[in-house]
Amino acid sequence: EPEVTQTPSHQVTQMGQEVILRCVPISNHLYFYWYRQILGQKVEFLVSFYNNEISEKSEIFDDQFSVERPDGSNFTLKIRSTKLEDSAMYFCASRATDTQYFGPGTRLTVL
Amino acid sequence: AQSVTQPDIHITVSEGASLELRCNYSYGATPYLFWYVQSPGQGLQLLLKYFSGDTLVQGIKGFEAEFKRSQSSFNLRKPSVHWSDAAEYFCAVLKHSSASKIIFGSGTRLSIRP
């Protein structure tokens, strides 16, 4: 069964550094998402992406964040200058119709 | 605004006992509802979903959920839990828009007593 994959599974970085989180959505899906879950809190929507552009973003998704689909398979989330409060689990999701399928997540730790 | 409420933060049940996890939603139109499970250190796995039709939906791992419009509820049930069911369970609603983002509840942590 096709799955969403994410790399790395765990990323440790220093505050102020740039990180890129990678996702490979399910191959025939056209809608892509990033969510995050700060430890002990609920899963929150960050951004949605369709047809090579952002279709919606949350208040969390400020100018430090960007998304890209650099080729036909990868979908990336870049955080330009990480802050301590960016430490969280980041989930990628994709969908073809109404059901979103989530990847296993990348745990980002900012020191 | 759309929202999902899971009133129980943590539930402990004995192995073999029945389970019901509560979920209430607030949504103006017909909701698309989901239950996801997150095992420790793992991602979010879809257990089941309700879009329309039969209000009792069956999912994976022996779970089911019942949509009750009059109560704005979508409770998750399992007749007999197994130790491997210990996990965090999230109820969620799809917000219909161009993006169709998912709004999650705060989750219910399920522990299983041997």
Side-chain angles (χ1 to χ4, degrees), chain A residues 29 94-101, chain B residues 34 36 46 49 51 102:
Chain A
H29 288 187
S94 69
R95 70 176 176 96
T97 56
D98 286 313
T99 301
Q100 292 182 27
Y101 294 90
Chain B
F34 306 86
Y36 286 88
L46 179 68
K49 60 187 178 186
F51 291 172
I102 288 182

Side-chain angles (χ1 to χ4, degrees), chain A residues 54-67:
Chain A
I54 291 173
S55 48
E56 185 175 345
K57 59 184 180 180
S58 72
E59 294 174 354
I60 304 166
F61 195 89
D62 60 22
D63 292 343
Q64 294 299 314
F65 291 88
S66 62
V67 289

Side-chain angles (χ1 to χ4, degrees), chain A residues 28-100:
Chain A
N28 64 335
H29 288 187
L30 300 177
Y31 300 83
F32 313 113
Y33 302 81
W34 284 100
Y35 293 78
R36 79 170 185 190
Q37 182 184 30
I38 294 172
L39 188 63
Q41 298 185 23
K42 65 170 68 177
V43 179
E44 309 170 279
F45 168 79
L46 288 179
V47 66
S48 59
F49 191 85
Y50 170 72
N51 200 26
N52 280 321
E53 61 183 25
I54 291 173
S55 48
E56 185 175 345
K57 59 184 180 180
S58 72
E59 294 174 354
I60 304 166
F61 195 89
D62 60 22
D63 292 343
Q64 294 299 314
F65 291 88
S66 62
V67 289
E68 193 178 37
R69 189 159 162 79
D71 53 43
S73 60
N74 290 284
F75 178 52
T76 62
L77 173 69
K78 182 192 290 186
I79 308 175
R80 188 170 32 236
S81 177
T82 50
K83 307 182 186 70
L84 295 176
E85 55 264 35
D86 293 327
S87 293
M89 184 76 104
Y90 288 80
F91 293 105
C92 173
S94 69
R95 70 176 176 96
T97 56
D98 286 313
T99 301
Q100 292 182 27

Side-chain angles (χ1 to χ4, degrees), chain B residues 57-82:
Chain B
V57 292
Q58 303 296 320
I60 62 171
K61 304 185 181 189
F63 286 92
E64 66 179 26
E66 186 170 13
F67 171 64
K68 292 186 178 179
R69 185 186 297 277
S70 62
Q71 297 177 21
S72 297
S73 69
F74 188 56
N75 293 348
L76 182 72
R77 302 194 294 246
K78 186 169 184 178
S80 176
V81 297
H82 186 261

